[in-house]
Amino acid sequence: MDGDNQTRISDFLLLGISESPEQQQVLFWMFLSMYLVTVVGNVLIILAISFDPRLHTPMYFFLANLSFTDLFFVTNTIPKMLVNLQSQNKAISYAGCMTQLYFLVSLVTLDNLILATMAYDRYVAICRPLHYVTAMSPGLCILLLTLCWSLSLLYGLTLTLFMTKVTFCGCRKIHYIFCEMYVLLRLACSNTQIIHIVLITTGIFIFLTPFGFMMISYIRIVRTILQIPSASSKYKAFSTCASHLAVVSLFYGTLCMVYLQPLQSYSMKDSVATVMYAVVTPMMNPFIYSLRNKDMHGALGRLLLGKAFQKVT
């Protein structure tokens, strides 16, 4: 391809899931509702954990960071999507697209690493309860979280820098709700073999290693729970892990629907799966963690009643 055709494009067009005006109105109100529910739910989780001393434990410390990550994640993508659904101009600048991609990759990675850290916390709490206070000290929790953030930001930066070396020319239409790695690679007109290799090798380390760690942790947790003689104690031990298992299943289930397939087969139908992990999962996490958690119920009740009391007085 000659030099003129290799000219870099300055922006992309985020066309979203549908170009029908009627469907776009429906999608706008649907995504706006989901965004507001996600923001309110995750903010309440963060506030409840911050202001309730009973929840100042490693498990809730990591949960607050997971909620913050989900809150940042949806704010990175949904507001732009809502603007596009209401506007005739659906353009996003090249820099804006790369920025969105950077935070998307970083925050998905951070979600993954925090979930693995929470699995380790549950393993220590159930399999080594006598050593829990020393094994999950505040210093170690901060160190683990710092490592999670550092690896995530570095991974996002690495992939984004590789993407900046990719040349896009000709078609600039993205039939998607945000700038996503697979979609952008399908628009590339330069050789993308190197970034494919980087994606596979780093993906194995960043995603499959934590997932394998979580599976090993839960195998040991289940073995320990089965050895508990009391049925009520078994139920109590399992209930502390049930919420985390539900979130892990939802996160990896939707992620696998999108990424465990060849790049060539990636199509519009995968938009549904992307909406699941990009919008539905962050919205559901606060409900999953608070649905059967009495401590969280109490903290949320005290938080809301306290605010209501302040308004009355």
Side-chain angles (χ1 to χ4, degrees):
M1 196 172 287
D2 59 40
D4 293 336
N5 290 334
Q6 287 284 355
T7 302
R8 286 181 178 272
I9 62 176
S10 59
D11 60 9
F12 297 95
L13 295 177
L14 286 174
L15 300 180
I17 299 173
S18 172
E19 295 185 56
S20 167
E22 293 78 11
Q23 291 182 1
Q24 285 186 358
Q25 283 301 310
V26 174
L27 289 171
F28 173 81
W29 290 110
M30 182 182 75
F31 283 123
L32 177 61
S33 301
M34 295 171 75
Y35 178 63
L36 292 176
V37 170
T38 303
V39 170
V40 171
N42 283 287
V43 167
L44 284 176
I45 292 289
I46 294 170
L47 291 177
I49 293 172
S50 300
F51 290 108
D52 196 321
R54 300 175 186 83
L55 302 185
H56 291 176
T57 64
M59 180 177 74
Y60 293 109
F61 172 69
F62 295 127
L63 176 56
N65 278 273
L66 184 67
S67 290
F68 176 79
T69 304
D70 287 341
L71 184 62
F72 196 177
F73 184 89
V74 294
T75 302
N76 177 50
T77 55
I78 297 183
K80 176 61 178 175
M81 185 201 319
L82 294 174
V83 170
N84 286 353
L85 287 170
Q86 290 293 93
S87 171
Q88 295 298 319
N89 181 15
K90 302 182 184 300
I92 181 171
S93 67
Y94 177 84
C97 190
M98 291 298 109
T99 301
Q100 194 177 70
L101 177 66
Y102 168 70
F103 284 112
L104 179 68
V105 173
S106 298
L107 294 170
V108 170
T109 306
L110 183 58
D111 251 357
N112 173 61
L113 295 177
I114 290 178
L115 287 173
T117 306
M118 294 174 76
Y120 175 70
D121 172 76
R122 291 300 84 205
Y123 162 75
V124 176
I126 293 174
C127 300
R128 302 176 59 194
L130 297 179
H131 301 89
Y132 183 76
V133 175
T134 53
M136 296 301 294
S137 63
L140 178 61
C141 291
I142 293 173
L143 176 61
L144 288 173
L145 192 63
T146 302
L147 287 173
C148 290
W149 275 93
S150 301
L151 283 173
S152 301
L153 296 177
L154 180 61
Y155 183 59
L157 180 61
T158 301
L159 290 189
T160 305
L161 287 176
F162 271 101
M163 284 299 296
T164 60
K165 304 299 181 182
V166 174
T167 303
F168 300 97
C169 49
C171 180
R172 61 192 182 104
K173 295 180 179 179
I174 300 177
H175 292 274
Y176 230 58
I177 56 178
F178 49 74
C179 291
E180 200 274 336
M181 180 76 70
Y182 268 27
V183 176
L184 289 174
L185 286 175
R186 293 197 70 177
L187 297 179
C189 57
S190 59
N191 192 335
T192 58
Q193 184 177 1
I194 294 178
I195 194 170
H196 285 163
I197 296 172
V198 172
L199 274 172
I200 293 171
T201 54
T202 57
I204 290 172
F205 173 74
I206 291 292
F207 288 96
L208 294 187
T209 301
F211 180 73
F213 174 78
M214 282 187 270
M215 292 301 99
I216 293 172
S217 297
Y218 272 104
I219 288 172
R220 293 183 176 180
I221 287 171
V222 170
R223 286 178 179 174
T224 302
I225 291 176
L226 291 176
Q227 294 173 359
I228 299 175
S230 170
S232 60
S233 298
K234 283 183 181 179
Y235 175 79
K236 184 178 180 181
F238 181 75
S239 64
T240 63
C241 303
S243 299
H244 182 256
L245 276 173
V247 171
V248 169
S249 301
L250 185 62
F251 177 78
Y252 278 100
T254 54
L255 215 58
C256 288
M257 288 170 63
V258 178
Y259 295 110
L260 287 188
Q261 59 178 304
L263 177 62
Q264 291 75 15
S265 66
Y266 204 61
S267 63
M268 267 296 294
K269 66 181 178 61
D270 300 298
S271 296
V272 178
T274 304
V275 169
M276 285 292 294
Y277 92 78
V279 183
V280 176
T281 299
M283 180 183 69
M284 292 301 298
N285 285 354
F287 293 100
I288 293 173
Y289 274 108
S290 61
L291 195 60
R292 298 175 59 187
N293 190 316
K294 293 181 179 179
D295 292 334
M296 186 59 69
H297 282 171
L300 288 171
R302 286 186 290 273
L303 177 68
L304 295 175
L305 288 175
K307 296 294 183 183
F309 179 75
Q310 288 178 5
K311 288 183 178 180
V312 172
T313 56

